[in-house]
Amino acid sequence: MLTNKTVILGITGSIAAYKAADIASKLTQAGAKVEVVMTEPATKFIAPLTMHSITGRAVVTDMFDLASQHTIEHIALGGAADVMVIAPATASLIAKAAVGIADDMVTLTVLATKAPVIVAPAMDVNMFANPVTQENLAKLKARGFIIVDPEYGRLASGKVGWGRLADVDKIIGTIKQVLGRSGDLAGKRLVVTAGGTQEPIDPARHIGNRSSGKMGYAIAEAARDRGAEVKLVAAPTSLPQPAGVEVIRVRTTVEMKSAVAKAVAKADALIMAAAVTDYQPRTTARAKIKKATPGLTLELVRTPDILGEVKGNFLKVGFAAESEDIVVNAKKKLQNKQLDLIVANDITDKKGGFGVDTNKVTIISRDGKVEKLPLLTKREVADRILDRVVGMLGKKK
Ligand code: CTP
């Protein structure tokens, strides 16, 4: 989705400026045209040559260098850009942008551009907490700027607190979200579930499954990139939180059921990619079970069927984790759970199942159409599923 998109990357004078190289590199690798503008102080932290080498494009630092054709083009470029991102943004940049001062290449481009502007602050803890900075950020937000909040952690000053530049992947995720605003899922609300639910046996142990959550997360990110408002109900996973997606964390099937019931109010579609544990211990021991006896019998009872029981007027997409008779079993699930679409995967296929980044699925619709897909990345599978969701949502109207 970043292919051929023009991203203006504004860099200001913070120690975190070196991270802008990573941002530029990831954007360039994803196919974006990255136009770098830097303030004079920023050039003390990272060389324009570094940014030029990464992006393959001229870097503009001096607003008075009007002899340079590129600088003039750059001011015009503000109008043509798809998005501008300022990372890192210092307190000074934020203050100037809030009142419309344009006295360096970055603030000048902010004023000149019609593109959405993303601001990723990075500064010392006290500067960030200062009410003036907070007021300035609030002003920018009110004017439609998108702020990627800094993180908590160790700062260059040695202090620990809020002020570290947000994670690079979070900044890139926000860029994708902003670019996706006009995608084919714009204005649609999607609820996606991911990961494997866990049913506690005692405070130390649980019944679970091998789901990594990757398929559900890929769907949530793909839907975000296509403009949807996404709620991700996530059972425990080790995956990073996707930017621009509301994540609701749950552990057990019962918790997931109530989170889904709440999230689907006003939803256009529910995609249940979670691997839901089918049985839970009848009781959970309050203390850790000691290995006193030679054997142990656990009494298990069925968990609720979230997808089968959820009510509402939205598209229902299920997954079918199968190890045999894939299409036949998936069709039965589609029928029993009254789904619009079911995505069946063979969990015995090592390249297309638990933990890996690829998947080999068969998509079956209510009208009986069976579409067998080749081995694809989970992100590609996510987009193929969403293509179908877009088609069905169109017909629903
Ligand atoms: N699912 C659910 N609640 C459950 C079990 C499954 O909502 N208690 C959902 C899954 O998220 C998936 C679909 O139902 O989208 C099918 O899940 P799967 O585990 O393949 O099937 P089950 O219904 O559990 O049937 P079985 O385990 O007998 O194959």
Side-chain angles (χ1 to χ4, degrees):
M1 72 163 316
L2 283 158
T3 313
N4 288 326
K5 291 284 190 297
T6 300
V7 181
I8 303 181
L9 174 59
I11 312 175
T12 62
S14 151
I15 179 70
Y18 74 94
K19 293 182 186 165
D22 195 16
I23 298 172
S25 167
K26 287 195 165 135
L27 292 173
T28 306
Q29 281 178 47
K33 291 183 211 151
V34 183
E35 300 282 356
V36 175
V37 285
M38 299 173 78
T39 60
E40 180 63 28
T43 65
K44 305 261 193 282
F45 287 101
I46 185 160
L49 180 62
T50 306
M51 301 312 298
H52 169 71
S53 309
I54 290 170
T55 62
R57 310 176 91 83
V59 173
V60 181
T61 56
D62 181 359
M63 66 189 284
F64 298 109
D65 185 18
L66 291 176
S68 144
Q69 183 58 25
H70 193 75
T71 305
I72 295 165
E73 278 168 10
H74 227 93
I75 297 168
L77 180 87
D82 294 292
V83 62
M84 175 170 189
V85 55
I86 307 169
T90 57
S92 157
L93 176 283
I94 291 163
K96 287 197 245 173
V99 291
I101 293 173
D103 66 353
D104 59 55
M105 260 327 285
V106 177
T107 45
L108 191 142
T109 314
V110 170
L111 267 193
T113 189
K114 288 201 187 89
V117 182
I118 299 169
V119 175
M123 65 196 75
D124 201 42
V125 56
N126 293 341
M127 291 169 88
F128 183 66
N130 193 301
V132 176
T133 306
Q134 290 302 320
E135 273 168 31
N136 288 333
L137 281 169
K139 263 188 210 160
L140 292 180
K141 243 188 227 174
R143 244 185 268 141
F145 285 61
I146 302 104
I147 315 295
V148 189
D149 290 330
E151 290 176 357
Y152 186 88
R154 205 190 130 82
L155 300 159
S157 62
K159 286 185 215 137
V160 175
W162 294 98
R164 273 172 73 93
L165 182 71
D167 188 70
V168 167
D169 287 335
K170 193 169 169 200
I171 296 171
I172 305 234
T174 308
I175 296 171
K176 288 183 180 169
Q177 183 195 11
V178 170
L179 290 174
R181 279 175 180 174
S182 52
D184 55 7
L185 281 170
K188 300 291 182 215
R189 295 192 176 99
L190 260 63
V191 178
V192 182
T193 66
T197 55
Q198 298 178 351
E199 307 301 335
I201 298 169
D202 69 14
R205 307 170 177 101
H206 62 252
I207 296 174
N209 58 66
R210 291 178 53 209
S211 170
S212 63
K214 284 182 175 174
M215 192 62 240
Y217 273 60
I219 296 170
E221 288 176 8
R224 170 204 65 193
D225 293 352
R226 294 167 76 149
E229 192 184 297
V230 185
K231 288 187 178 167
L232 175 63
V233 180
T237 73
S238 55
L239 300 171
Q241 174 154 345
V245 167
E246 185 187 337
V247 181
I248 303 138
R249 297 201 182 275
V250 296
R251 185 178 181 205
T252 65
T253 304
V254 168
E255 282 169 20
M256 181 172 275
K257 184 179 184 212
S258 66
V260 167
K262 242 192 233 165
V264 291
K266 297 194 196 145
D268 295 289
L270 166 66
I271 305 181
M272 279 287 303
V276 183
T277 309
D278 290 324
Y279 290 92
Q280 66 185 85
R282 180 177 289 282
T283 54
T284 300
R286 273 203 282 154
K288 189 179 167 211
I289 301 169
K290 291 291 186 189
K291 57 172 187 298
T293 51
L296 175 72
T297 306
L298 285 175
E299 193 189 344
L300 304 179
V301 293
R302 282 276 290 274
T303 55
D305 186 333
I306 304 171
L307 194 53
E309 294 169 21
V310 70
K311 300 269 177 302
N313 182 27
F314 44 83
L315 289 180
K316 295 185 189 83
V317 180
F319 272 72
E322 305 295 344
S323 54
E324 54 194 358
D325 298 334
I326 295 162
V327 173
V328 174
N329 281 325
K331 277 186 171 169
K332 268 189 215 153
K333 279 180 195 167
L334 180 133
Q335 192 60 37
N336 291 343
K337 300 191 195 220
Q338 286 291 296
L339 308 179
D340 297 282
L341 206 68
I342 194 152
V343 183
N345 65 331
D346 180 352
I347 53 167
T348 59
D349 187 335
K350 285 198 178 58
K351 285 189 189 136
F354 296 120
V356 294
D357 291 321
T358 49
N359 209 353
K360 200 170 170 185
V361 303
T362 302
I363 304 180
I364 305 161
S365 47
R366 195 193 274 251
D367 60 14
K369 192 179 151 207
V370 177
E371 186 189 6
K372 211 170 168 190
L373 299 181
L375 184 72
L376 298 169
T377 64
K378 286 189 173 167
R379 173 58 189 244
E380 286 166 335
V381 171
D383 275 311
R384 299 291 280 268
I385 297 167
L386 292 176
D387 288 345
R388 301 289 291 268
V389 169
V390 168
M392 289 189 296
L393 284 174
K395 278 189 204 133
K396 217 178 127 196
K397 275 193 173 165

